[in-house]
Structure formats: structure tokens, C-alpha cells
Amino acid sequence: MRGQAGLRSGDEYGNVDVVAGSPAGGARRPGRASPAGPDALQAALSAVARGDEAAFAVVYDRAAPVVLGTVRRIVRNPAQSEEVMQEVLLEVWRTAARFDPTAGSATAWITMLAHRRAVDRVRSEQRAAQREARSAAAEVGYDEVTEAVEASLDRERVRRCLDGLTELQRESVTLAYYGGYSYREVAQLLGVAVGTVKTRMRDGLIRLRDCLGVE
Amino acid sequence: MGERRTGLHALVGAYVLDAVEDGDRAQFERHLLSCDQCRDDVRGLREATARLAAAAAIAPRPELRQSTMQAAAVTRQLPPVVIGERTAATSRRVRWPVGRGIARTWLAGVAAGLAIVLAVAAVLLGVHAGAMQQRLAATQRRDSAMTAVLGAHDAVILTAAVRTGGTATVVMSHRARALVFTANGLATLPGVRAYELWLAGPAGVTPAGMLPPGHRGMSGPMVVGGLAKGEQLELTVEPATGSRQPTSAPIVRLVLDS
């Protein structure tokens, strides 16, 4: 548990105690994104860096559902989401040699690429005043995201940890992460000051990190 | 000073959530270069967001798997960063690509950024891998203007949905004052109509070229040079012979000064 000394959720806001550590039955295993664990993904990724196409299939199988789910939350349009998912996976293929395991897990790296690209996609559309086209397209064939993969354990755990946040923390974090909104937009949506949103995002993520037991 | 630092530290959550705008991001990343603790914090919080992502996982359509594999097979990979090249000043930058740096790394290989766009377009449209190879080869033989744009350090990529269907993608370099335009999934037009690009700016609207007839909705790449400040790129449907001024409303508009 190194590196956590610097950041603690803010007592100065009078928050209730953080529900840290292991909720009932939860193993403190970091980055449990797939059944075989994060190491398999990382091993596959280093083989991908050497041009191993079979290893890329392994990376795809482990990462694609997470990438698609993240992108779809933000982009909404199913066809566009699939397109972004493929772009992200190709970016993983292309830049695998630049991945540095000492700087974070493979899952974190890939989800960062996915989230960032999804956000870039919706923001560039916004800039180009294409928002109405997106929502119009989204009405066609958008089905509620229900197809579950093996993520149900993760989902349950995350839900529980999100429940441990204050309402403002939770809304700030989820509007940003699942909604793709900037902190200024979140402030506007929630009708609170920009500075408040910034600290709630930080404190909310710290609580989440501690509750999930990731390092 | 103290005030300023706290302000920056508070930004760590928004930064990890990609909820910052470009200015904030750049400022925070400069700060990260000189703050070991902040980098640790970023790393830990990123693992938390990875769990948020995992909780959202959904199964992709099975056919996407093969098309992604095919696209990878025709996409050249970036070489690793050679350890000996790392200097104290740059190692942090390359270790974990943060912020906009990612987009640039992604675009760094000459023509490779466009190659990916084309590869994705091709697999989505089911273009045969052989045809794809030819197209990529043709792309890589294009004139130096395209090379200048795609290889430019300030290259950025913009994507937007086309109102009548499809997606427009622009790779642009302000320094080269040029952009490369591609589109995929465009609606097929009757033979007497064609897509035309325009640059719209304070000085009016000027033609920027007709899109060559697409192959299964994929069009381009086209190089548009001589960009001026404040201009927008627009696409309209025109008579196949082209127009001097747009005769219909733009079906996509890309604001170029980002």
C-alpha cells in the first residue's frame, strides 16, 4: 500500500468515515478485470509488443468488453462505439511496445486509452455542433446495456464502493467517468461551484480506490 | 505559490477522470513532471478508474473480433523507446504517456495515424484485406504534403459524425497549415451528385475539392492546404461537376482551431 500517504479523502468537508479495506468477502486483489487476473493480460501485452498476433487475440478477449462498455457509456451510439473500440484496440496493438508495467497495470493503461478516446470523440463532436446528430442516431437501436460478461463481481463491488461515497462525490465521479463530462460541465449540471466539483472528484476517487483495495 | 499548488493538487481527480480541458491538462502535466507524489497518486487513482471501466464491460458482437485482428495484421507497430535514448529530462514523459502526448505519440509515425483510420474504416466496411493493402500503399506514396501533416508534431485528429450517415476524420497540423480528410460510411450518392469540401472562414467560403467517388462509402484521403485562422471545414452534397459556392447545407462541419 505504498503511495497512499499523500492523498486522503478530505476530512475538512466533514465527511463520514471512509469504508476502507475489505467489504464482506471481498478479496484485496488489485485489478481483477478478468478471470485469469491482470498478469495474463500484461504477459499477453508484452508478446503483442513483439508482433505476436495470437497474443493480440488474448488481449482482445480480455480487454474488448471493458473497452466497449466504457466507450458505449460515453458515446452511446452503438455503431460509433464499436468503431471507437476497434480504434482503441488497434492503438493497443500499435503502441504495445510503449507500455511500461512499472507505471501502472495493463488494464489501467488500456482503459485510459479507451476513456480518453471516447471523451475526445464526444468533445470533438460537441465542438463541431454535432450533438443533435449523435442523440438522434442514438435513438436508433440503442438498447439498454444489460449483456453481462464475467464483470458481475466487479460490478457488485464497484456499486457497493460507489454507495460509500457522498452523493456529491458519487455524482461528480460518475458524471465525469461514465458521462464523459468535464468538471466545469459537471459543476453546471449539479449547480455547484467549480472548485467544489474538483475536490469532490478527487476525494471520491480516493475513497473508491481505498474501498476497492487497488494500489 | 502555496495557493497555486493546492489548486493544482485538487485537479488530480478531474485529471484522472479525463474531465479537464486542454489548458488545465497541460498545466497539470507540467506539474506532474516535477512531483513524484502526484505521479503515484495518479497511478493509484487510475487503477480505481480501471475498476469503474471493468464494471461497465459488455460483450462485443462476435464478428468484431476477426475484423480487429485483420486490421492489426495490416498495421505496423511502433518500436519501443530504446532505454539508452532516455535522458533524465525525457524519461518521465515517455514512461507513461499522459495527456495529449498520447495523441501525438499515436500520430508520430508518418502516415501511420491515417493508416489506422483507413484500417478501421476498411474493416468496418468489410473491405478485403488485399484491397486494403493496396490502399495503404497508395496512401503511403502520396505527396509530401500528406507526409508533412501526418508527421507533424502538432498533428491532431478530429472526428465527427456526418449528418447523412458516416464519419468524417481530419488529421490536421496548424504548423503545416494543412489537413488530411478521410470519411467512411458515407451514403452512396446518385451519379449526378458528389461530395464537396469547403473551407468556410471570415473571408467567405472557398471550394476545397471534390471527394473522389468512394469505395463502399470510404473516401479520401484528401489533402487540403493553405488553412487560415478561424476556418471551418464543411462537407456538402453538390452536382457531380462541382459548385463554386455550396448549394446545400453542410452535412458535417469541423472547427479547425482547437
Side-chain angles (χ1 to χ4, degrees):
Chain A
M1 274 294 153
R2 50 184 292 285
Q4 295 202 8
L7 271 183
R8 292 259 169 252
S9 42
D11 295 342
E12 68 266 37
Y13 303 109
N15 293 332
V16 291
D17 280 343
V18 178
V19 192
S22 314
R28 290 175 68 87
R29 200 145 57 92
R32 186 170 40 83
S34 57
D39 293 342
L41 180 60
Q42 194 167 304
L45 199 55
S46 56
V48 167
R50 299 188 293 272
D52 185 332
E53 291 178 31
F56 185 56
V58 174
V59 170
Y60 180 93
D61 290 340
R62 285 174 194 285
V66 176
V67 170
L68 181 62
T70 308
V71 170
R72 176 93 170 252
R73 286 281 183 116
I74 296 167
V75 172
R76 291 292 176 135
N77 177 298
Q80 282 186 29
S81 302
E82 289 180 349
E83 202 176 301
V84 174
M85 181 203 83
Q86 292 196 305
E87 285 174 9
V88 171
L89 265 302
L90 272 183
E91 192 176 350
V92 169
W93 162 262
R94 223 173 78 73
T95 60
R98 306 281 166 102
F99 166 69
D100 177 0
T102 65
S105 72
T107 318
W109 182 61
I110 295 172
T111 53
M112 177 190 75
L113 295 178
H115 192 264
R116 199 164 275 178
R117 186 165 287 227
V119 165
D120 279 351
R121 167 71 72 113
V122 294
R123 293 208 185 136
S124 68
E125 281 187 19
Q126 245 163 288
R127 277 200 291 274
Q130 287 297 313
R131 209 167 197 179
E132 65 288 345
R134 178 159 59 97
S135 51
E139 281 162 27
V140 186
Y142 173 64
D143 49 0
E144 199 48 54
V145 178
T146 50
E147 318 123 81
V149 260
E150 308 90 351
S152 56
L153 270 177
D154 279 308
R155 202 168 303 189
E156 188 45 45
R157 184 93 182 266
V158 165
R159 197 200 322 270
R160 217 162 356 147
C161 289
L162 281 172
D163 283 346
L165 307 188
T166 68
E167 194 179 338
L168 201 49
Q169 286 173 345
R170 184 171 53 247
E171 293 207 271
S172 299
V173 167
T174 54
L175 280 171
Y177 198 75
Y178 291 136
Y181 292 102
S182 74
Y183 72 85
R184 288 179 210 282
E185 290 166 338
V186 171
Q188 187 79 24
L189 286 169
L190 297 178
V192 296
V194 163
T196 309
V197 164
K198 275 196 261 186
T199 53
R200 294 310 184 272
M201 283 179 176
R202 182 194 61 183
D203 295 342
L205 270 186
I206 292 167
R207 272 196 192 194
L208 208 53
R209 177 198 68 190
D210 294 346
C211 173
L212 290 166
V214 292
E215 40 187 47
Chain B
M1 171 73 187
E3 177 72 22
R4 226 176 100 77
R5 282 187 66 87
T6 358
L8 270 180
H9 279 303
L11 211 55
V12 67
Y15 173 77
V16 169
L17 292 166
D18 295 322
V20 288
E21 276 126 32
D22 294 353
D24 286 329
R25 191 196 296 255
Q27 200 187 5
F28 188 77
E29 286 178 356
R30 271 198 304 278
H31 175 63
L32 273 183
L33 290 176
S34 61
C35 175
D36 291 340
Q37 181 62 55
C38 304
R39 283 199 304 280
D40 274 350
D41 293 339
V42 165
R43 179 168 48 201
L45 297 185
R46 259 209 224 296
E47 299 296 337
T49 61
R51 302 293 291 276
L52 288 177
I58 53 174
R61 289 188 296 123
E63 51 268 43
L64 295 177
R65 188 175 191 272
Q66 202 195 346
S67 59
T68 309
M69 296 300 127
Q70 282 171 349
V74 297
T75 303
R76 183 176 163 77
Q77 294 176 291
L78 283 185
V81 177
V82 180
I83 304 295
E85 287 174 3
R86 292 189 184 180
T87 65
T90 60
S91 62
R92 285 165 183 168
R93 232 181 254 283
V94 296
R95 253 177 40 181
W96 180 266
V98 285
R100 291 286 154 190
I102 262 250
R104 279 184 207 136
T105 313
W106 189 71
L107 286 163
V110 171
L114 185 63
I116 283 191
V117 171
L118 288 176
V120 168
V123 296
L124 288 173
L125 296 162
V127 177
H128 188 267
M132 191 60 223
Q133 284 285 25
Q134 286 176 4
R135 207 174 172 91
L136 289 173
T139 300
Q140 280 152 6
R141 283 196 304 271
R142 290 280 162 133
D143 59 24
S144 57
M146 186 174 298
T147 310
V149 174
L150 297 175
H153 288 303
D154 68 335
V156 290
I157 188 161
L158 306 172
T159 320
V162 178
R163 192 152 50 81
T164 50
T167 305
T169 302
V170 160
V171 181
M172 172 181 59
S173 162
H174 281 296
R175 200 158 44 169
R177 295 180 63 216
L179 60 81
V180 176
F181 175 93
T182 60
N184 68 69
L186 292 181
T188 308
L189 298 176
V192 295
R193 313 286 286 171
Y195 291 103
E196 187 163 4
L197 281 173
W198 308 90
L199 282 173
V205 182
T206 52
M210 308 292 295
L211 291 194
H215 176 65
R216 303 180 68 171
M218 190 163 107
S219 194
M222 276 186 61
V223 179
V224 178
L227 302 183
K229 217 171 166 48
E231 280 184 327
Q232 302 185 341
L233 187 73
E234 297 179 353
L235 185 67
T236 64
V237 175
E238 300 295 330
T241 50
S243 305
R244 281 188 198 173
Q245 286 290 303
T247 61
S248 61
I251 50 174
V252 70
R253 178 181 289 137
L254 287 144
V255 180
L256 299 180
D257 47 7
S258 55

